[in-house]
Amino acid sequence: SVVNHNGYGYMFLGCSGTGKSTHSRLWIENITGTQLLNDDNPIIRICGDNIIVSGSPWSGKTPCYKNKQIPLGGIVRLTQAKSNKITRLYGLPAYAALLPSCSVIKWDAEVELAVNKSIEQISSTCPIWHLECLPDREAAILCNKFIKVK
């Protein structure tokens, strides 16, 4: 799920049922200047040194099909927890946080290599975070405080 906050995209990743859509909704309800960009299958594109996120024709349960491209401000891997805690990820942990959410045709070695190179570039260019959280307002506020582009 991706929200647009003040012209930057913030992507929330996680397993099915983790609370990605809920977290996006909490941003929209509690953080001024936030709108939903895409709720299920956003597209990331690397343009030189810039990482761009856009909506797609696939949006899951929430009908949100915005044909809009914005700079990616940050990526957050969500996990459910008994309290809210956010941690910045670097290097291999950042790469590992992004990999499970990428679609790839594993039997095509050339495509798989290209996806892995893209993940490497994204994880070394874009801030990636791990948010252990409850499905509450405080989780969205904590996340926004740490990850937003200054």
Side-chain angles (χ1 to χ4, degrees):
S1 186
V2 178
V3 296
N4 176 349
H5 177 67
N6 295 334
Y8 287 92
Y10 296 96
M11 182 177 290
F12 307 119
L13 310 176
C15 297
S16 179
T18 300
K20 302 173 296 292
S21 298
T22 298
H23 195 72
S24 287
R25 179 182 50 76
L26 289 166
W27 271 59
I28 292 163
E29 291 173 355
N30 297 288
I31 300 166
T32 304
T34 303
Q35 307 86 32
L36 189 62
L37 178 63
N38 191 259
D39 195 44
D40 196 39
N41 283 296
I43 298 168
I44 295 179
R45 191 174 77 174
I46 300 170
C47 301
D49 291 336
N50 301 311
I51 310 296
I52 305 296
V53 63
S54 62
S56 76
W58 305 280
S59 192
K61 298 177 279 191
T62 306
C64 180
Y65 310 99
K66 294 189 179 168
N67 185 12
K68 185 170 186 168
Q69 298 180 28
I70 55 177
L72 183 60
I75 299 171
V76 181
R77 168 121 340 240
L78 301 175
T79 54
Q80 295 177 354
K82 294 182 189 263
S83 63
N84 298 317
K85 176 184 172 190
I86 190 162
T87 307
R88 175 83 186 263
L89 303 175
Y90 298 93
L92 189 56
Y95 180 96
L98 188 53
L99 179 63
S101 296
C102 296
S103 300
V104 64
I105 302 169
K106 292 192 182 291
W107 59 87
D108 186 325
E110 188 176 329
V111 171
E112 185 175 21
L113 179 61
V115 169
N116 284 320
K117 285 184 179 205
S118 295
I119 295 169
E120 183 179 340
Q121 185 173 351
I122 294 164
S123 65
S124 64
T125 305
C126 180
I128 299 180
W129 302 82
H130 176 216
L131 178 64
E132 301 168 74
C133 62
L134 294 162
D136 63 12
R137 174 182 188 273
E138 289 74 25
I141 291 169
L142 174 70
C143 187
N144 173 260
K145 177 182 174 184
F146 281 90
I147 75 166
K148 68 183 174 187
V149 174
K150 308 287 189 254

